[in-house]
Amino acid sequence: MTWQETAEKHRNRIAAAIPDEWRLTSMPPGDSVMSVPRDSGLLTQEELAITESTATDLVAKMAARELTSVAVTTAFCKRAALAHQLVNCCHEFFPDLALARAKELDEYISKNGKPVGPLHGLPISLKDQLRIKGLETTMGYVAWIGKRDTEDSVLVSLLQRAGAVFFCKTSVPQSLMVCETINNIMGRTVNPRNKNWSCGGSSGGEGAMVGFRGGLIGIGTDIGGSIRVPAAFNFLYGIRPSHGRLPYAKMANSMEGQETVHSVCGPLTHSIADMRLFMTSVLAEKPWEFDSKVIPMPWRQAEEDAIKTKIASKDLTLGFYNCDGVVLPHPPILRAVQTVVDAVKGAGHTVEPWEPYKHEEAWKLANSIYSSDGGTDIGAVLKESGEPAIPNIRELVDLTVTKSDINEVWDKQLKKWRYQCDYLDRIRAFEDKLGRSLDAIIAPITPTAAVRHNQFKYYGYATAVNLLDFTSVVVPVTFADKSVDVADTSYKPLSELDAAVQADYDAGIYHGAPAAVQIIGRRLTEEKIMAIAEEIGRLLGNEVTP
Protein backbone atom coordinates (compact mmCIF):
# COMPACT_ATOMS: atom_id res chain seq x y z
CA MET A 1 0.00 0.00 0.00
CA THR A 2 1.38 3.44 -0.92
CA TRP A 3 1.60 6.20 1.66
CA GLN A 4 -1.17 8.01 -0.21
CA GLU A 5 -3.49 5.00 0.08
CA THR A 6 -2.67 4.60 3.77
CA ALA A 7 -3.48 8.26 4.41
CA GLU A 8 -6.74 8.06 2.46
CA LYS A 9 -7.84 5.02 4.46
CA HIS A 10 -7.22 6.94 7.69
CA ARG A 11 -9.17 9.98 6.46
CA ASN A 12 -12.09 7.78 5.50
CA ARG A 13 -12.10 6.12 8.93
CA ILE A 14 -12.32 9.49 10.70
CA ALA A 15 -15.09 10.68 8.38
CA ALA A 16 -17.05 7.47 8.99
CA ALA A 17 -16.97 8.08 12.75
CA ILE A 18 -19.38 11.00 12.29
CA PRO A 19 -23.02 9.80 12.54
CA ASP A 20 -25.21 10.60 9.55
CA GLU A 21 -27.50 12.81 11.64
CA TRP A 22 -24.53 15.04 12.54
CA ARG A 23 -23.47 15.61 8.94
CA LEU A 24 -23.88 18.79 6.96
CA THR A 25 -25.71 18.35 3.67
CA SER A 26 -23.69 21.15 2.07
CA MET A 27 -20.80 23.42 2.92
CA PRO A 28 -21.80 26.97 3.90
CA PRO A 29 -20.75 29.89 1.70
CA GLY A 30 -18.28 32.49 2.89
CA ASP A 31 -14.96 32.35 4.66
CA SER A 32 -16.17 32.25 8.29
CA VAL A 33 -17.90 29.16 9.68
CA MET A 34 -18.50 30.48 13.19
CA SER A 35 -22.25 30.82 12.72
CA VAL A 36 -22.80 27.27 11.42
CA PRO A 37 -23.64 25.63 14.79
CA ARG A 38 -26.54 28.01 15.23
CA ASP A 39 -27.54 28.27 11.57
CA SER A 40 -27.38 24.58 10.66
CA GLY A 41 -30.15 23.45 12.97
CA LEU A 42 -28.14 20.34 13.93
CA LEU A 43 -27.80 21.43 17.55
CA THR A 44 -30.79 21.90 19.85
CA GLN A 45 -31.20 25.12 21.83
CA GLU A 46 -30.02 23.28 24.94
CA GLU A 47 -26.94 21.99 23.09
CA LEU A 48 -26.14 25.48 21.87
CA ALA A 49 -26.45 26.82 25.41
CA ILE A 50 -24.17 24.05 26.72
CA THR A 51 -21.46 24.63 24.12
CA GLU A 52 -21.63 28.40 24.57
CA SER A 53 -21.21 28.10 28.34
CA THR A 54 -17.96 27.88 30.33
CA ALA A 55 -16.25 24.80 31.69
CA THR A 56 -16.49 26.12 35.23
CA ASP A 57 -20.26 26.56 34.90
CA LEU A 58 -20.75 23.14 33.32
CA VAL A 59 -18.84 21.16 35.96
CA ALA A 60 -20.77 23.00 38.68
CA LYS A 61 -24.09 22.13 37.04
CA MET A 62 -23.10 18.50 36.53
CA ALA A 63 -21.93 18.24 40.13
CA ALA A 64 -25.33 19.64 41.23
CA ARG A 65 -27.03 17.17 38.84
CA GLU A 66 -28.65 19.99 36.90
CA LEU A 67 -27.02 18.60 33.74
CA THR A 68 -25.90 15.10 32.83
CA SER A 69 -22.53 14.28 31.35
CA VAL A 70 -24.33 12.46 28.52
CA ALA A 71 -26.14 15.66 27.56
CA VAL A 72 -22.96 17.75 27.76
CA THR A 73 -20.84 15.18 25.92
CA THR A 74 -23.45 14.78 23.18
CA ALA A 75 -23.53 18.54 22.64
CA PHE A 76 -19.76 18.82 22.28
CA CYS A 77 -19.45 15.70 20.14
CA LYS A 78 -22.00 17.17 17.73
CA ARG A 79 -20.26 20.55 17.64
CA ALA A 80 -16.86 18.84 17.21
CA ALA A 81 -18.27 16.84 14.30
CA LEU A 82 -19.27 20.12 12.68
CA ALA A 83 -15.81 21.52 13.38
CA HIS A 84 -14.11 18.63 11.62
CA GLN A 85 -16.38 18.86 8.59
CA LEU A 86 -15.78 22.60 8.32
CA VAL A 87 -12.12 23.11 9.23
CA ASN A 88 -10.58 19.59 9.15
CA CYS A 89 -9.29 19.50 12.72
CA CYS A 90 -9.46 15.88 13.95
CA HIS A 91 -7.01 13.00 13.76
CA GLU A 92 -9.27 10.79 15.88
CA PHE A 93 -12.98 11.13 16.66
CA PHE A 94 -14.63 8.63 19.01
CA PRO A 95 -18.07 9.77 20.21
CA ASP A 96 -19.16 6.22 21.12
CA LEU A 97 -16.33 5.86 23.63
CA ALA A 98 -17.01 9.35 24.96
CA LEU A 99 -20.72 8.72 25.48
CA ALA A 100 -20.04 5.38 27.17
CA ARG A 101 -17.70 7.15 29.60
CA ALA A 102 -20.26 9.91 30.17
CA LYS A 103 -22.93 7.31 30.96
CA GLU A 104 -20.64 5.70 33.55
CA LEU A 105 -20.05 9.07 35.19
CA ASP A 106 -23.78 9.80 35.32
CA GLU A 107 -24.37 6.43 36.95
CA TYR A 108 -21.59 7.10 39.46
CA ILE A 109 -22.98 10.44 40.61
CA SER A 110 -26.49 9.04 40.76
CA LYS A 111 -25.32 6.19 42.98
CA ASN A 112 -22.84 8.08 45.16
CA GLY A 113 -24.35 11.56 45.24
CA LYS A 114 -21.06 13.25 44.45
CA PRO A 115 -18.85 13.76 41.40
CA VAL A 116 -15.76 11.68 40.63
CA GLY A 117 -13.58 14.79 40.72
CA PRO A 118 -13.41 18.48 39.77
CA LEU A 119 -13.69 17.77 36.03
CA HIS A 120 -16.59 15.33 36.41
CA GLY A 121 -18.33 14.82 33.08
CA LEU A 122 -16.43 17.54 31.20
CA PRO A 123 -15.43 16.78 27.58
CA ILE A 124 -11.78 17.68 26.91
CA SER A 125 -10.05 17.48 23.53
CA LEU A 126 -6.47 16.27 23.18
CA LYS A 127 -3.70 17.19 20.79
CA ASP A 128 -2.59 14.14 18.84
CA GLN A 129 0.46 13.61 21.03
CA LEU A 130 -1.44 12.37 24.05
CA ARG A 131 -1.89 8.61 24.06
CA ILE A 132 -5.14 6.82 24.84
CA LYS A 133 -4.87 3.07 25.15
CA GLY A 134 -6.36 1.37 22.09
CA LEU A 135 -6.35 4.46 19.86
CA GLU A 136 -3.81 5.74 17.34
CA THR A 137 -1.35 8.59 17.78
CA THR A 138 -0.05 9.54 14.35
CA MET A 139 1.33 13.00 15.14
CA GLY A 140 0.91 13.79 11.45
CA TYR A 141 3.14 10.90 10.29
CA VAL A 142 1.82 8.38 7.76
CA ALA A 143 4.22 5.78 9.17
CA TRP A 144 2.44 5.83 12.53
CA ILE A 145 -1.02 5.07 11.11
CA GLY A 146 -2.34 1.77 12.43
CA LYS A 147 -0.11 1.67 15.51
CA ARG A 148 -2.45 1.40 18.47
CA ASP A 149 -1.28 2.74 21.81
CA THR A 150 -0.85 0.20 24.59
CA GLU A 151 -1.03 2.64 27.52
CA ASP A 152 -2.31 6.09 28.40
CA SER A 153 -0.15 9.17 28.74
CA VAL A 154 0.21 10.22 32.38
CA LEU A 155 -1.78 13.41 31.80
CA VAL A 156 -4.60 11.38 30.24
CA SER A 157 -4.73 9.10 33.27
CA LEU A 158 -4.79 12.00 35.71
CA LEU A 159 -7.50 13.84 33.80
CA GLN A 160 -9.61 10.69 33.80
CA ARG A 161 -9.17 10.40 37.56
CA ALA A 162 -10.42 13.99 37.82
CA GLY A 163 -13.53 13.05 35.81
CA ALA A 164 -12.74 14.21 32.26
CA VAL A 165 -14.35 12.74 29.14
CA PHE A 166 -12.25 12.45 25.97
CA PHE A 167 -13.93 12.58 22.59
CA CYS A 168 -11.36 13.55 19.95
CA LYS A 169 -7.67 13.96 19.20
CA THR A 170 -6.87 17.02 17.16
CA SER A 171 -4.69 17.74 14.16
CA VAL A 172 -1.03 18.71 14.14
CA PRO A 173 1.55 19.48 11.47
CA GLN A 174 3.81 16.65 10.37
CA SER A 175 6.54 16.38 13.04
CA LEU A 176 4.96 19.16 15.19
CA MET A 177 7.79 21.58 14.42
CA VAL A 178 5.71 24.13 12.50
CA CYS A 179 3.43 26.99 13.57
CA GLU A 180 0.85 26.03 10.94
CA THR A 181 -1.18 22.81 10.83
CA ILE A 182 -0.77 20.69 7.72
CA ASN A 183 0.29 17.10 7.12
CA ASN A 184 0.10 14.46 4.41
CA ILE A 185 -2.63 12.48 6.18
CA MET A 186 -5.46 14.95 6.74
CA GLY A 187 -4.24 17.94 4.76
CA ARG A 188 -4.59 21.46 6.15
CA THR A 189 -6.57 22.61 9.17
CA VAL A 190 -7.98 26.12 8.70
CA ASN A 191 -9.14 28.90 10.98
CA PRO A 192 -12.89 28.81 11.72
CA ARG A 193 -13.05 32.62 11.76
CA ASN A 194 -11.71 32.75 8.21
CA LYS A 195 -10.65 29.71 6.21
CA ASN A 196 -7.99 31.79 4.45
CA TRP A 197 -6.11 32.24 7.74
CA SER A 198 -3.92 29.79 9.62
CA CYS A 199 -5.22 28.22 12.82
CA GLY A 200 -1.64 28.22 14.08
CA GLY A 201 0.44 25.26 15.11
CA SER A 202 1.52 22.87 16.18
CA SER A 203 -1.54 22.67 18.46
CA GLY A 204 -3.56 24.08 15.58
CA GLY A 205 -6.28 21.47 15.71
CA GLU A 206 -6.84 22.39 19.34
CA GLY A 207 -6.94 26.08 18.48
CA ALA A 208 -9.52 25.50 15.76
CA MET A 209 -11.59 23.06 17.84
CA VAL A 210 -11.73 25.21 20.97
CA GLY A 211 -12.07 28.41 18.94
CA PHE A 212 -15.16 26.88 17.30
CA ARG A 213 -16.39 25.77 20.74
CA GLY A 214 -16.22 22.11 19.80
CA GLY A 215 -14.64 21.96 23.25
CA LEU A 216 -13.96 24.41 26.06
CA ILE A 217 -10.61 23.08 27.26
CA GLY A 218 -8.10 21.64 24.82
CA ILE A 219 -4.66 20.26 25.65
CA GLY A 220 -1.70 21.41 23.55
CA THR A 221 2.08 21.40 23.76
CA ASP A 222 4.63 24.17 23.23
CA ILE A 223 8.33 24.01 22.28
CA GLY A 224 8.42 27.10 20.06
CA GLY A 225 5.00 28.72 20.43
CA SER A 226 2.78 25.71 19.73
CA ILE A 227 0.17 26.49 22.40
CA ARG A 228 0.42 30.26 22.32
CA VAL A 229 0.27 30.80 18.54
CA PRO A 230 -2.96 28.77 18.06
CA ALA A 231 -4.44 30.52 21.11
CA ALA A 232 -3.56 33.91 19.61
CA PHE A 233 -4.86 33.06 16.13
CA ASN A 234 -8.18 31.73 17.48
CA PHE A 235 -8.88 34.49 20.06
CA LEU A 236 -8.25 32.20 23.03
CA TYR A 237 -6.28 32.13 26.24
CA GLY A 238 -3.35 29.72 26.31
CA ILE A 239 -0.58 29.00 28.77
CA ARG A 240 2.98 27.85 28.25
CA PRO A 241 3.87 26.73 31.79
CA SER A 242 7.48 26.27 32.75
CA HIS A 243 9.05 22.85 32.32
CA GLY A 244 8.28 20.57 35.24
CA ARG A 245 4.93 22.05 36.22
CA LEU A 246 2.69 19.62 34.30
CA PRO A 247 3.28 15.96 33.32
CA TYR A 248 4.56 15.10 29.84
CA ALA A 249 5.39 11.44 30.46
CA LYS A 250 4.32 8.80 27.92
CA MET A 251 3.31 11.37 25.30
CA ALA A 252 4.47 11.06 21.70
CA ASN A 253 6.95 13.65 20.51
CA SER A 254 9.51 14.57 17.88
CA MET A 255 13.18 14.35 18.82
CA GLU A 256 12.52 12.52 22.07
CA GLY A 257 15.53 12.84 24.34
CA GLN A 258 16.30 16.41 23.25
CA GLU A 259 16.65 18.02 26.67
CA THR A 260 18.04 21.47 25.90
CA VAL A 261 14.70 23.18 25.15
CA HIS A 262 11.82 21.22 26.61
CA SER A 263 8.38 20.86 25.12
CA VAL A 264 5.70 21.51 27.73
CA CYS A 265 1.97 20.86 27.82
CA GLY A 266 -0.86 23.17 28.78
CA PRO A 267 -4.47 24.14 28.04
CA LEU A 268 -6.14 26.43 25.50
CA THR A 269 -9.34 27.92 26.92
CA HIS A 270 -11.94 30.67 26.58
CA SER A 271 -11.16 32.13 30.00
CA ILE A 272 -8.57 32.13 32.76
CA ALA A 273 -11.21 30.68 35.08
CA ASP A 274 -11.38 27.57 32.87
CA MET A 275 -7.57 27.51 32.65
CA ARG A 276 -7.40 27.62 36.44
CA LEU A 277 -9.93 24.78 36.66
CA PHE A 278 -7.65 22.64 34.50
CA MET A 279 -4.42 23.55 36.30
CA THR A 280 -5.79 23.02 39.80
CA SER A 281 -7.46 19.75 38.80
CA VAL A 282 -4.26 18.28 37.37
CA LEU A 283 -2.03 19.47 40.22
CA ALA A 284 -4.50 18.06 42.77
CA GLU A 285 -3.68 14.61 41.34
CA LYS A 286 0.00 14.98 42.40
CA PRO A 287 1.53 14.48 38.93
CA TRP A 288 5.04 14.41 40.45
CA GLU A 289 4.21 10.93 41.74
CA PHE A 290 3.80 9.70 38.15
CA ASP A 291 6.31 11.76 36.15
CA SER A 292 9.79 12.20 37.63
CA LYS A 293 10.32 15.50 35.78
CA VAL A 294 7.36 17.19 37.46
CA ILE A 295 8.33 19.43 40.38
CA PRO A 296 6.44 18.60 43.60
CA MET A 297 4.63 21.92 43.57
CA PRO A 298 0.87 21.96 44.26
CA TRP A 299 -1.25 24.90 43.19
CA ARG A 300 0.00 27.83 45.28
CA GLN A 301 -3.09 29.77 46.25
CA ALA A 302 -0.96 32.17 48.29
CA GLU A 303 0.86 33.24 45.10
CA GLU A 304 -2.43 33.97 43.36
CA ASP A 305 -3.82 35.79 46.41
CA ALA A 306 -0.71 37.94 46.72
CA ILE A 307 -0.85 39.19 43.14
CA LYS A 308 -4.59 39.77 43.41
CA THR A 309 -3.87 42.00 46.40
CA LYS A 310 -1.44 43.99 44.26
CA ILE A 311 -4.06 44.22 41.53
CA ALA A 312 -6.68 45.50 43.98
CA SER A 313 -4.15 48.02 45.31
CA LYS A 314 -3.29 49.22 41.78
CA ASP A 315 0.28 48.21 42.51
CA LEU A 316 1.30 46.02 39.55
CA THR A 317 4.58 46.79 37.79
CA LEU A 318 4.73 45.59 34.20
CA GLY A 319 7.29 45.98 31.48
CA PHE A 320 6.37 46.04 27.80
CA TYR A 321 7.93 45.96 24.36
CA ASN A 322 6.40 45.99 20.90
CA CYS A 323 9.50 45.04 18.89
CA ASP A 324 12.26 42.54 19.68
CA GLY A 325 14.76 44.22 17.37
CA VAL A 326 14.49 41.49 14.74
CA VAL A 327 11.01 41.82 13.19
CA LEU A 328 8.53 44.64 13.73
CA PRO A 329 4.98 43.36 14.22
CA HIS A 330 2.19 44.34 11.84
CA PRO A 331 -0.05 47.28 12.79
CA PRO A 332 -2.79 45.15 14.45
CA ILE A 333 -0.25 43.66 16.88
CA LEU A 334 1.32 47.03 17.63
CA ARG A 335 -2.17 48.29 18.42
CA ALA A 336 -2.89 45.23 20.59
CA VAL A 337 0.21 45.84 22.70
CA GLN A 338 -0.63 49.53 23.09
CA THR A 339 -4.24 48.69 23.96
CA VAL A 340 -3.09 46.49 26.83
CA VAL A 341 -0.53 49.06 28.01
CA ASP A 342 -3.18 51.81 27.99
CA ALA A 343 -5.71 49.61 29.81
CA VAL A 344 -3.28 48.65 32.56
CA LYS A 345 -2.02 52.22 32.97
CA GLY A 346 -5.59 53.47 32.98
CA ALA A 347 -6.35 51.12 35.87
CA GLY A 348 -3.62 52.81 37.90
CA HIS A 349 -0.76 50.35 37.57
CA THR A 350 2.86 51.08 36.61
CA VAL A 351 3.92 50.16 33.07
CA GLU A 352 7.46 50.85 31.84
CA PRO A 353 9.31 50.06 28.59
CA TRP A 354 11.33 46.83 28.66
CA GLU A 355 14.41 46.43 26.46
CA PRO A 356 14.47 42.91 24.95
CA TYR A 357 17.86 41.33 25.61
CA LYS A 358 19.58 39.66 22.64
CA HIS A 359 16.37 38.13 21.28
CA GLU A 360 17.96 37.57 17.88
CA GLU A 361 20.69 35.48 19.48
CA ALA A 362 18.08 33.58 21.46
CA TRP A 363 16.03 32.84 18.35
CA LYS A 364 19.07 31.63 16.41
CA LEU A 365 20.29 29.51 19.32
CA ALA A 366 16.88 27.87 19.67
CA ASN A 367 16.78 27.08 15.94
CA SER A 368 20.23 25.49 16.14
CA ILE A 369 19.05 23.36 19.07
CA TYR A 370 16.00 22.14 17.16
CA SER A 371 18.29 21.10 14.27
CA SER A 372 20.97 19.47 16.42
CA ASP A 373 20.30 15.97 15.08
CA GLY A 374 20.56 17.15 11.48
CA GLY A 375 16.96 16.09 10.86
CA THR A 376 17.69 12.44 11.66
CA ASP A 377 14.61 11.89 13.83
CA ILE A 378 12.11 13.44 11.41
CA GLY A 379 13.86 12.04 8.34
CA ALA A 380 13.80 8.47 9.67
CA VAL A 381 10.05 8.53 10.24
CA LEU A 382 9.39 10.02 6.79
CA LYS A 383 11.60 7.38 5.19
CA GLU A 384 9.61 4.62 6.89
CA SER A 385 6.48 5.45 4.86
CA GLY A 386 8.04 7.23 1.89
CA GLU A 387 5.96 10.37 2.43
CA PRO A 388 7.65 13.70 1.64
CA ALA A 389 8.42 16.38 4.18
CA ILE A 390 5.96 19.26 4.19
CA PRO A 391 7.74 22.42 2.98
CA ASN A 392 6.90 24.30 6.21
CA ILE A 393 9.27 22.14 8.28
CA ARG A 394 12.26 23.99 6.88
CA GLU A 395 11.04 27.15 8.62
CA LEU A 396 11.96 25.77 12.05
CA VAL A 397 14.06 22.64 11.49
CA ASP A 398 16.72 22.52 8.78
CA LEU A 399 16.82 18.91 7.58
CA THR A 400 20.02 19.54 5.60
CA VAL A 401 22.37 20.75 8.34
CA THR A 402 25.20 18.65 9.73
CA LYS A 403 24.42 16.80 12.94
CA SER A 404 25.95 18.37 16.05
CA ASP A 405 28.44 16.28 18.01
CA ILE A 406 28.10 15.91 21.78
CA ASN A 407 30.49 18.77 22.55
CA GLU A 408 28.51 21.11 20.30
CA VAL A 409 25.31 20.08 22.07
CA TRP A 410 26.91 20.75 25.45
CA ASP A 411 28.03 24.14 24.20
CA LYS A 412 24.45 24.98 23.19
CA GLN A 413 23.24 23.95 26.62
CA LEU A 414 25.80 26.23 28.26
CA LYS A 415 24.82 29.11 26.00
CA LYS A 416 21.18 28.61 26.94
CA TRP A 417 21.99 28.61 30.65
CA ARG A 418 24.13 31.74 30.36
CA TYR A 419 21.38 33.48 28.42
CA GLN A 420 18.83 32.59 31.08
CA CYS A 421 21.09 33.95 33.84
CA ASP A 422 21.87 37.10 31.85
CA TYR A 423 18.14 37.72 31.40
CA LEU A 424 17.60 37.46 35.13
CA ASP A 425 20.41 40.00 35.58
CA ARG A 426 18.52 42.41 33.30
CA ILE A 427 15.34 41.93 35.30
CA ARG A 428 17.12 42.67 38.57
CA ALA A 429 18.73 45.78 37.04
CA PHE A 430 15.29 46.92 35.84
CA GLU A 431 13.90 46.43 39.35
CA ASP A 432 16.82 48.26 40.97
CA LYS A 433 16.30 51.21 38.63
CA LEU A 434 12.57 51.44 39.38
CA GLY A 435 12.78 50.45 43.02
CA ARG A 436 9.92 48.02 42.38
CA SER A 437 9.54 44.31 41.62
CA LEU A 438 8.75 43.43 38.02
CA ASP A 439 5.56 41.37 37.96
CA ALA A 440 5.38 40.55 34.24
CA ILE A 441 6.18 41.71 30.72
CA ILE A 442 3.63 42.52 28.02
CA ALA A 443 4.86 41.47 24.57
CA PRO A 444 3.77 40.28 21.14
CA ILE A 445 3.44 36.51 20.73
CA THR A 446 3.62 36.69 16.92
CA PRO A 447 4.46 39.54 14.54
CA THR A 448 1.09 39.08 12.81
CA ALA A 449 -2.56 38.66 13.57
CA ALA A 450 -3.94 35.28 12.44
CA VAL A 451 -1.67 34.84 9.43
CA ARG A 452 -2.41 33.76 5.88
CA HIS A 453 -1.51 30.17 5.03
CA ASN A 454 2.20 29.50 4.52
CA GLN A 455 3.13 33.03 5.58
CA PHE A 456 4.36 32.37 9.12
CA LYS A 457 7.98 33.47 8.80
CA TYR A 458 9.24 34.42 12.26
CA TYR A 459 9.02 32.46 15.52
CA GLY A 460 11.28 34.62 17.66
CA TYR A 461 8.64 36.28 19.84
CA ALA A 462 7.52 32.85 21.04
CA THR A 463 10.79 30.93 20.95
CA ALA A 464 12.78 33.31 23.15
CA VAL A 465 10.37 32.45 25.96
CA ASN A 466 10.92 28.72 25.40
CA LEU A 467 14.67 29.20 25.64
CA LEU A 468 14.22 31.13 28.90
CA ASP A 469 11.68 28.58 30.20
CA PHE A 470 9.56 31.47 31.46
CA THR A 471 5.84 31.21 32.09
CA SER A 472 3.74 32.85 29.36
CA VAL A 473 -0.02 33.34 29.04
CA VAL A 474 -1.67 34.54 25.83
CA VAL A 475 -4.42 37.13 26.22
CA PRO A 476 -6.76 37.78 23.26
CA VAL A 477 -7.00 41.53 22.73
CA THR A 478 -8.75 42.70 19.57
CA PHE A 479 -9.27 42.14 15.85
CA ALA A 480 -7.45 43.70 12.92
CA ASP A 481 -9.28 46.70 11.51
CA LYS A 482 -8.47 47.87 7.99
CA SER A 483 -9.64 51.40 8.75
CA VAL A 484 -7.29 51.72 11.73
CA ASP A 485 -4.37 49.36 11.16
CA VAL A 486 -2.76 51.16 8.25
CA ALA A 487 0.78 50.23 7.20
CA ASP A 488 3.55 52.76 7.79
CA THR A 489 4.89 53.31 4.28
CA SER A 490 7.93 55.19 5.61
CA TYR A 491 9.13 52.23 7.71
CA LYS A 492 12.62 50.90 6.91
CA PRO A 493 12.85 47.14 7.57
CA LEU A 494 15.39 45.92 10.10
CA SER A 495 16.49 43.02 7.89
CA GLU A 496 15.52 40.92 4.87
CA LEU A 497 13.38 38.77 7.17
CA ASP A 498 11.63 41.84 8.53
CA ALA A 499 11.07 43.07 4.96
CA ALA A 500 9.47 39.75 4.05
CA VAL A 501 7.14 39.91 7.06
CA GLN A 502 6.18 43.51 6.30
CA ALA A 503 5.53 42.67 2.63
CA ASP A 504 2.86 40.18 3.67
CA TYR A 505 0.73 42.80 5.39
CA ASP A 506 -2.48 43.76 3.62
CA ALA A 507 -4.98 45.60 5.79
CA GLY A 508 -7.93 44.35 3.73
CA ILE A 509 -6.91 40.69 3.81
CA TYR A 510 -6.19 40.75 7.54
CA HIS A 511 -9.36 42.66 8.44
CA GLY A 512 -11.03 40.86 11.35
CA ALA A 513 -8.06 38.62 12.20
CA PRO A 514 -7.53 37.98 15.94
CA ALA A 515 -4.66 39.89 17.55
CA ALA A 516 -3.19 38.92 20.92
CA VAL A 517 -0.33 39.53 23.33
CA GLN A 518 1.55 37.31 25.73
CA ILE A 519 2.10 38.06 29.41
CA ILE A 520 5.53 36.77 30.41
CA GLY A 521 6.76 36.02 33.92
CA ARG A 522 9.76 34.37 35.51
CA ARG A 523 10.04 30.61 35.58
CA LEU A 524 7.31 28.74 37.48
CA THR A 525 5.06 31.75 38.07
CA GLU A 526 1.89 30.22 36.63
CA GLU A 527 -0.47 31.33 39.43
CA LYS A 528 0.81 34.88 39.26
CA ILE A 529 0.80 35.30 35.48
CA MET A 530 -2.63 33.72 35.10
CA ALA A 531 -4.05 36.21 37.63
CA ILE A 532 -2.47 39.14 35.78
CA ALA A 533 -3.77 37.82 32.46
CA GLU A 534 -7.24 37.46 33.97
CA GLU A 535 -7.19 41.07 35.13
CA ILE A 536 -6.08 42.27 31.69
CA GLY A 537 -8.88 40.25 30.11
CA ARG A 538 -11.32 41.89 32.51
CA LEU A 539 -10.04 45.36 31.65
CA LEU A 540 -10.39 44.60 27.94
CA GLY A 541 -13.86 43.08 28.26
CA ASN A 542 -12.53 39.70 27.07
CA GLU A 543 -12.82 37.82 30.37
CA VAL A 544 -14.68 35.05 28.52
CA THR A 545 -14.06 34.96 24.78
CA PRO A 546 -16.97 34.44 22.37
Side-chain angles (χ1 to χ4, degrees), residues 203 206-207 210 216-220 227 230-231 236-239 266-270:
S203 310
E206 282 303 323
V210 178
L216 299 179
I217 298 177
I219 314 306
I227 289 171
L236 299 170
Y237 291 88
I239 184 170
L268 294 85
T269 65
H270 286 274

Side-chain angles (χ1 to χ4, degrees), residues 159-382:
L159 289 170
Q160 285 180 323
R161 285 171 45 159
V165 176
F166 306 122
F167 61 105
C168 68
K169 296 178 70 177
T170 55
S171 53
V172 301
Q174 178 195 72
S175 85
L176 307 177
M177 301 300 292
V178 177
C179 274
E180 298 217 34
T181 298
I182 182 171
N183 58 65
N184 292 323
I185 303 172
M186 303 302 296
R188 185 185 296 278
T189 303
V190 298
N191 193 310
R193 292 180 183 272
N194 188 317
K195 292 182 287 185
N196 298 307
W197 301 332
S198 170
C199 61
S202 63
S203 310
E206 282 303 323
M209 179 64 77
V210 178
F212 188 76
R213 286 186 169 268
L216 299 179
I217 298 177
I219 314 306
T221 64
D222 193 313
I223 193 173
S226 291
I227 289 171
R228 291 164 292 153
V229 173
F233 285 2
N234 291 279
F235 207 69
L236 299 170
Y237 291 88
I239 184 170
R240 183 239 177 250
S242 293
H243 172 62
R245 198 72 204 269
L246 294 177
Y248 208 100
K250 300 182 181 179
M251 289 171 58
N253 204 3
S254 279
M255 298 177 284
E256 287 188 294
Q258 186 278 113
E259 295 283 312
T260 308
V261 176
H262 292 94
S263 180
V264 298
C265 55
L268 294 85
T269 65
H270 286 274
S271 68
I272 296 295
D274 286 358
M275 183 183 291
R276 187 179 292 111
L277 171 66
F278 173 87
M279 296 290 289
T280 56
S281 298
V282 174
L283 293 174
E285 297 294 335
K286 301 181 179 180
W288 48 88
E289 295 184 355
F290 303 88
D291 182 346
S292 63
K293 291 184 179 180
V294 177
I295 299 165
M297 184 184 289
W299 180 261
R300 298 167 296 178
Q301 189 59 46
E303 294 285 316
E304 181 182 347
D305 293 342
I307 202 66
K308 285 186 173 180
T309 297
K310 292 188 77 172
I311 291 170
S313 302
K314 304 184 185 302
D315 197 32
L316 286 180
T317 302
L318 305 181
F320 80 96
Y321 62 92
N322 58 19
C323 181
D324 65 355
V326 185
V327 170
L328 179 73
H330 287 175
I333 302 301
L334 296 175
R335 181 165 61 87
V337 172
Q338 193 60 49
T339 297
V340 173
V341 169
D342 291 345
V344 176
K345 280 186 175 180
H349 302 288
T350 299
V351 186
E352 295 288 340
W354 170 262
E355 183 68 30
Y357 176 68
K358 294 185 178 180
H359 279 215
E360 183 171 18
E361 290 184 23
W363 165 58
K364 289 181 177 178
L365 176 57
N367 283 349
S368 73
I369 291 165
Y370 301 145
S371 298
S372 290
D373 75 337
T376 299
D377 179 81
I378 296 172
V381 182
L382 298 180

Side-chain angles (χ1 to χ4, degrees), residues 113-127:
K114 62 180 182 179
V116 167
L119 299 176
H120 181 100
L122 183 70
I124 290 180
S125 52
L126 305 172
K127 183 179 184 178

